[in-house]
Amino acid sequence: MAEERRGARGWAADTALFALGVFAWLYISGDRMRLGLPSPPWLFEADQLAGIVGLGLLWLRRRWPVQAGLAAAVLSSFSETIAFPLVVLLYAVTVRRPLKTAAWVFGAAFAAAGVYSLLRPQELGVLGNLLFAVVLYGGIAGWGMVTRYRNALRARAAEQERDERERARQRAREELARELHDLLGHRLSLLSLHAGAMEYRSDLSPEELRGAAGVVREQSHLAMRDLREVIAVLRAPIGELPQPSMADLRALVEEARPGSRIAFSATAEGEAPERSGRTAYRVVQEALTNARKHAEGAAVEVAVSGGPGEGLAVAVVNGPGRDTGPGSGHGLIGLEERIALAGGRLEYGPVGDGGWRVRAWLPWTA
């Protein structure tokens, strides 16, 4: 076990214990002189010296509790003024060291109590001294075990708190990664689509080239704007990131319409709750991004319907088209997590004509 550092509170506690030890030493010595000195007379002087040594041992209880406890146990075989330091050191061993080690120290203290009972039986008698030692040391051990258990509970609670903070940070990182994927993936897929048209379509008219170049310029500007917004709130809670809603769906579709054939219908009754509307927006955004990547030139149908009591249904279906490259699959995984957190369901997969369908249901709740 690592050595405990003695801070300001530690110094204050050790000083207070030392002061109590001095008081106990003076009190026991005075009481012994009042009741009568032990026989032989030199035992009293040895007892006083052992008590003073015990006061010094109190300062070692943090760094060397076992060694100090064993030394105090040996001195307790003939000294009564060592009682207070011995109690403190036995408690320290119970709290700070493995229970097996503490058991050996307590065993030495019990053995010393037996020797003390033989050397000085006049106070309580042999059996009385032994019984007193059993009660006293048992109480110290019990008190130390309770403290040890409470310390373990506090340490476990602190560890759980650290783990929870780490999980919260991980959730924040994952949420930020999803936001970056959703914000930039949509823009970059549009850039790729129109840049590819400009590169490979030699039959485009000057007006069509200007239109494609305008889309590239506009989407580059919007991608930079989105990236600046995300970077600006990296230190803020995730809830402060710019969040879309159902009201932004039509703008999303119109933004993706140049160069694509998109049919859009929205028949939802009333304004969808914020969380469900935001999740529906992300479903459509991810589906349109995937359609541009894996079915370039295909017709896309986007339908949103529902209302209070029946939930919000989102369906995006695209026909077969040219696959412009492999995907990571992280987008659909992120959608599953989003929709699960919102209490909804997600289905996706191929359709009979070689196209792809994404269908989600979300509860009409906030």
Side-chain angles (χ1 to χ4, degrees), residues 318-341:
N318 62 265
R322 186 170 68 91
D323 194 335
T324 59
S328 66
H330 294 165
L332 290 175
I333 294 174
L335 274 186
E336 288 180 327
E337 294 176 357
R338 284 181 182 275
I339 292 174
L341 289 174

Side-chain angles (χ1 to χ4, degrees), residues 37-358:
L37 298 180
S39 179
W42 59 263
L43 189 57
F44 178 73
E45 298 174 0
D47 194 340
Q48 303 307 295
L49 181 60
I52 294 174
V53 173
L55 294 175
L57 293 175
L58 286 175
W59 294 99
L60 305 179
R61 68 186 183 91
R62 296 179 184 273
R63 187 170 186 179
W64 297 302
V66 175
Q67 295 87 333
L70 287 173
V74 171
L75 294 174
S76 70
S77 62
F78 63 87
S79 171
E80 61 182 352
T81 57
I82 196 71
F84 181 80
L86 178 63
V87 167
V88 173
L89 292 168
L90 289 177
Y91 173 80
V93 170
T94 306
V95 173
R96 301 169 189 275
R97 292 297 182 262
L99 295 181
K100 185 176 180 179
T101 302
W104 282 105
V105 178
F106 271 87
F110 278 118
V115 175
Y116 180 91
S117 300
L118 295 175
L119 288 177
R120 306 178 65 170
Q122 62 271 22
E123 283 84 11
L124 298 175
V126 175
L127 292 179
N129 285 335
L130 290 175
L131 181 61
F132 178 77
V134 169
V135 173
L136 176 63
Y137 297 160
I140 297 169
W143 185 20
M145 290 293 292
V146 170
T147 303
R148 188 186 185 96
Y149 177 71
R150 291 175 61 185
N151 290 344
L153 286 181
R154 283 196 290 267
R156 189 180 307 165
E159 183 179 358
Q160 290 175 347
E161 184 179 354
R162 287 193 298 270
D163 291 343
E164 180 57 34
R165 285 199 298 267
E166 181 57 33
R167 285 193 292 268
R169 285 193 290 267
Q170 182 62 32
R171 288 194 295 268
R173 288 192 290 265
E174 292 173 353
E175 180 69 13
L176 182 59
R178 284 195 293 265
E179 293 297 331
L180 287 170
H181 176 276
D182 292 339
L183 286 170
L184 299 182
H186 174 71
R187 306 289 186 201
L188 295 178
S189 65
L190 281 174
L191 285 173
S192 176
L193 174 66
H194 291 280
M198 295 169 63
E199 180 180 5
Y200 296 109
R201 292 284 304 276
S202 58
D203 59 337
L204 292 178
S205 66
E207 291 184 359
E208 290 174 326
L209 279 174
R210 282 195 298 271
V215 172
V216 170
R217 180 183 58 81
E218 180 185 6
Q219 293 303 317
S220 299
H221 171 74
L222 293 175
M224 290 300 296
R225 183 203 65 185
D226 291 342
L227 187 58
R228 282 194 298 268
E229 287 179 348
V230 173
I231 292 174
V233 294
L234 276 176
R235 297 180 182 272
I238 291 301
E240 296 182 14
L241 289 169
Q243 298 292 341
S245 65
M246 276 282 291
D248 301 311
L249 260 180
R250 187 171 296 278
L252 173 69
V253 172
E254 292 302 322
E255 187 179 85
R257 197 181 295 279
S260 302
R261 293 175 292 157
I262 304 176
F264 175 65
S265 66
T267 59
E269 300 176 7
E271 183 65 26
E274 179 182 353
R275 187 176 188 181
S276 296
R278 181 171 64 247
T279 306
Y281 179 98
R282 294 305 190 194
V283 171
V284 175
Q285 185 181 54
E286 178 63 24
L288 290 177
T289 300
N290 287 340
R292 284 192 295 271
K293 287 181 179 179
H294 306 298
E296 183 181 338
V300 183
E301 296 180 4
V302 179
V304 181
S305 61
E310 59 178 301
L312 187 63
V314 182
V316 181
V317 183
N318 62 265
R322 186 170 68 91
D323 194 335
T324 59
S328 66
H330 294 165
L332 290 175
I333 294 174
L335 274 186
E336 288 180 327
E337 294 176 357
R338 284 181 182 275
I339 292 174
L341 289 174
R345 299 186 300 271
L346 176 68
E347 299 175 1
Y348 54 86
V351 291
D353 61 354
W356 188 267
R357 176 174 57 199
V358 176

